[in-house]
Amino acid sequence: LYTGRRATPVSSFLAAHRLRPLTDAEDLEALQRIITTYEPRYVIVINQQSVKSAEVLADGNPATLRRVGKLPDAFIYERVSP
């Protein structure tokens, strides 16, 4: 589905995941899966739950992401490990 695309969502698009808000654990798992599958160079997050997930990955040992910038309504992370 995302072959050749320059961007992917940072969370799941499954209908079942839209019946209720994702838990923090589900959001983190979705972000980890996307990073592992698509190996993006950068991750840009807007909603607070995705920001929390990205921060968990940035604080990990080893870290998966590193915060590199901030826009008025978003945070930008660079992938530093798979």
Side-chain angles (χ1 to χ4, degrees):
L1 176 63
Y2 298 113
T3 301
R5 297 215 178 180
R6 298 182 60 103
T8 63
V10 294
S11 189
S12 168
F13 272 0
L14 296 176
H17 290 163
R18 300 298 161 221
L19 296 175
R20 61 171 175 71
L22 296 178
T23 65
D24 288 347
E26 290 168 334
D27 190 76
L28 177 59
E29 180 183 347
L31 181 56
Q32 287 173 314
R33 191 175 325 115
I34 288 166
I35 291 170
T36 300
T37 302
Y38 300 106
E39 299 181 341
R41 181 169 180 189
Y42 295 100
V43 174
I44 301 172
V45 291
I46 296 170
N47 76 48
Q48 288 304 309
Q49 190 172 39
S50 294
V51 171
K52 287 193 319 190
S53 294
E55 285 295 318
V56 167
L57 297 177
D59 290 339
N61 188 11
T64 302
L65 298 175
R66 173 175 59 99
R67 191 190 305 183
V68 294
K70 184 177 181 333
L71 299 171
D73 296 319
F75 291 92
I76 304 167
Y77 296 84
E78 182 175 22
R79 182 175 51 88
V80 293
S81 69

